[in-house]
Amino acid sequence: YASKQANPLKVEMMRAFGAQVIQAGQDFDEAKDIAKHEAQACNARFVEDSQDIETLEGAGTIGLELLQTKPSFDTVLLPLGNGALASGIARVFKALSPQTKIIAVQANGAAAMVESLRTQQFVAHEKVNTICDGIAIRKPVPQALEDLKPLIDDTLLVTDELTISAMRMIHQHVGITCEPSGAVGVAALLDNKTTFQNEKVATVLCGGNLTQLQMDVWLRA
């Protein structure tokens, strides 16, 4: 299941890999609710990002790869959506490099997870307003919040404008096409240069799904 507003390239790629994709609902969370209802109706297992341990294990291997860099990083900036990526990577660092600071980054137009972590209360929104569709979460998964509390040392929010600047920088200097959700870590670096100027910092460029129109507008404008 994917929302009716899902990135068309992502939907196309999922179908190319053999998935049957049903588009329903106006955003990620609505599509997820519909999928949950359908799973219950046909007695199927619903695998939820950040709720089911398997979704965290894959992300954990990214943490293991990052730890191959010696000496380890002072700070790791992680895109925060439902929480599986951040939780999986952060758990590895807390076990094997506890001195590394873990910072979760969200778009300020979809800040429910960050607001929940900052206030230590469940915060949900009726809608989101960001180009970062891969991390545009309205309703946090309660289990994800519990898992992240001891793992996340700080949180940052970034604007879409800064994220576009980060995407352009990544494309120009590294030659990588990165979607907005994957570029928020670099956006956070651009927004906090003084904070990180003397640190060894890592982030994860987690996704390159851009349509030709998006590339023309965001990367070449």
Side-chain angles (χ1 to χ4, degrees), residues 62-74:
I62 300 174
L64 292 173
E65 289 185 35
L66 289 172
L67 283 170
Q68 292 176 12
T69 299
K70 302 297 181 182
S72 188
F73 297 99
D74 298 305

Side-chain angles (χ1 to χ4, degrees), residues 17 20 24 40 48 89 140 142 158 169 187 206:
F17 279 113
Q20 178 188 359
Q40 186 176 19
E48 185 166 8
I89 295 174
V158 294
M169 178 178 288
C206 52

